[in-house]
Amino acid sequence: MQIHVVARGESLWRIAQRYGTDINQIVLVNQLANANLLVIGQTLVIPEPNREYVIQAGDNLWSVAQRFGVTVQELADANNINNPSLIYVGEMLIIPYFPHTIQPGETLWLIAQRYGVTINQIVQVNNIANPSLINQGQTIRIPTPDRPVIEINAYTTRVREEGRQEVLALGRNFTYLSPFTYSINADGTITEMREAPVLEATQATNTAPLLVLTNFVEGGFDSDIAAIILRDANLQEIVITNLLEKMRSKGYTGLNIDFEYVYPADRENYNSFLRRVVARLRPEGFTVSTALAPKIRGDQPGLLYEAHDYPAHGEIVDFVVLMTYEWGWAGGRPWAIAPISEVRKVLDYAVTVIPRNKILMGIPLYGRDWRIPWEEGTRARTVSPQEAVQLATSYGVAIEYDDTYQSPFFRYVDETSQEHEVWFEDARSMRAKYDTVIEYRLRGASYWVLGIPFPQNWPVLQNNFTVRQF
């Protein structure tokens, strides 16, 4: 898979010719509404012929396997497909083997070096009796190189049928699915959710569901509710008992605690609560994780940050989600949602106090559209990456890219003469984030939030990683 940035005067036909691929494959994987409408600066994911294939109408896993000379099981294993009937138009599949025709002077050692595999892998796949005896013009199969194995969590607020369909389509890309949210009450009870449809989808896709517990009340995080619970050990035991009952009855595999805007005075109380939770849940096989505000130092001031004790969480729980997004928040000035320069500052601190193999880096799947000049009290509109590109196309403006923030943006003027500034994510910005996960040797990544169309993300993820599933 390659990423192409559209230049002035380019057509999709010319781009397809350049990469030796089929136009329809590009249209499908990028879910282009109109193949004739491209905008300067737009990114396109380009599947690599013979190594990647995008599902088309009428395909099934058997027909694709036949086409590329592999078994259905090999194709399913290479793509985390638990149920061969669950494939969707527009999905990109990694082909487990691709052909190579031996050129004059080539040896298996040279071929292995070129493709990043071992001689032994090539020998086994092709049943070569004598590795020194290969013939010019002979076509052999090359196994797809191994990709780093990571874990992926995805939060979702859509828990009914619409959410179920989304998880069925995308679940092979997730380790965990976290329906948002159960909330605590002042008496130690927890609220209810009707999330059976998405939990059913996690079973079909081998995804581990995490129960998300928050102090989220009536549209916002409530510091007082958190304080009531965190300052009363008896109430905490009631909360934990209720959690265990809910997790057992609904089939959750773990707990993700997202307490935000906790009073600084409750920092140690929060740590003690986590220890109680782990002591009761871990013996029953449940994982415990937390979501943490994006801190750049231990004593960072502010209600969002002070009670989040990075070293303690790193020691107590199984893993943490760093909420490395929302720099460009709806009520603030126009900015990248997750500028990589700021994300790296958080990671630079986090890896000094939390084991790297316990960190999931937060990644946004959305963008925002601000009215400018920006005025205090105004709010940006959330847009999907697809909608952002459509806006640039509709208003005939080029998409720019900020190399410091590793994020695309553009400005346009609407029909009322109002000027706008849009920051969003594309294939380039996601590749930069995945490169950061690799560079910092993290456990993986966590998405906020499903329900926002971003078709380019999934092939970029697949091209970079193998996602661990349970």
Side-chain angles (χ1 to χ4, degrees), residues 286-403:
F286 295 114
T287 62
V288 179
S289 58
T290 56
L292 292 173
K295 299 174 67 167
I296 61 173
R297 65 178 195 268
D299 61 351
Q300 186 167 336
L303 184 59
L304 181 63
Y305 308 104
E306 292 181 49
H308 283 188
D309 186 338
Y310 273 35
H313 286 239
E315 181 265 322
I316 297 167
V317 301
D318 296 293
F319 61 89
V320 302
V321 173
L322 298 184
M323 294 184 284
T324 40
Y325 33 72
E326 286 294 281
W327 276 270
W329 65 290
R333 295 178 180 276
W335 197 7
I337 311 299
I340 205 69
S341 53
E342 302 305 307
V343 171
R344 293 175 67 91
K345 291 176 185 177
V346 176
L347 293 176
D348 286 341
Y349 165 62
V351 298
T352 66
V353 292
I354 302 174
R356 295 171 189 263
N357 64 359
K358 285 191 174 186
I359 297 174
L360 298 184
M361 186 184 93
I363 296 178
L365 298 180
Y366 56 93
R368 289 211 166 96
D369 180 340
W370 285 265
R371 287 173 290 174
I372 56 173
W374 179 78
E375 296 180 3
E376 188 80 41
T378 61
R379 295 188 67 82
R381 182 173 68 92
T382 298
V383 297
S384 72
Q386 274 188 310
E387 185 180 357
V389 173
Q390 289 166 2
L391 282 170
T393 304
S394 297
Y395 289 101
V397 296
I399 295 171
E400 301 179 63
Y401 193 78
D402 189 294
D403 290 324

Side-chain angles (χ1 to χ4, degrees), residues 185-217:
N185 296 315
D187 61 357
T189 59
I190 60 177
T191 56
E192 186 52 83
M193 287 181 71
R194 297 180 178 177
E195 78 280 39
V198 293
L199 294 181
E200 176 189 321
T202 64
Q203 294 180 356
T205 56
N206 271 358
T207 306
L210 304 181
L211 186 150
V212 180
L213 181 70
T214 69
N215 58 323
F216 195 79
V217 179

Side-chain angles (χ1 to χ4, degrees), residues 29-31 158 162 166 170 364-367 382-390 424-426 449-458:
V29 78
N30 293 281
Q31 293 187 22
R158 302 200 303 178
E162 193 176 25
E166 185 174 32
L170 298 175
L365 298 180
Y366 56 93
T382 298
V383 297
S384 72
Q386 274 188 310
E387 185 180 357
V389 173
Q390 289 166 2
F424 64 108
E425 304 292 339
D426 67 6
V449 59
L450 298 184
I452 300 171
F454 190 8
Q456 288 188 345
N457 176 58
W458 313 114

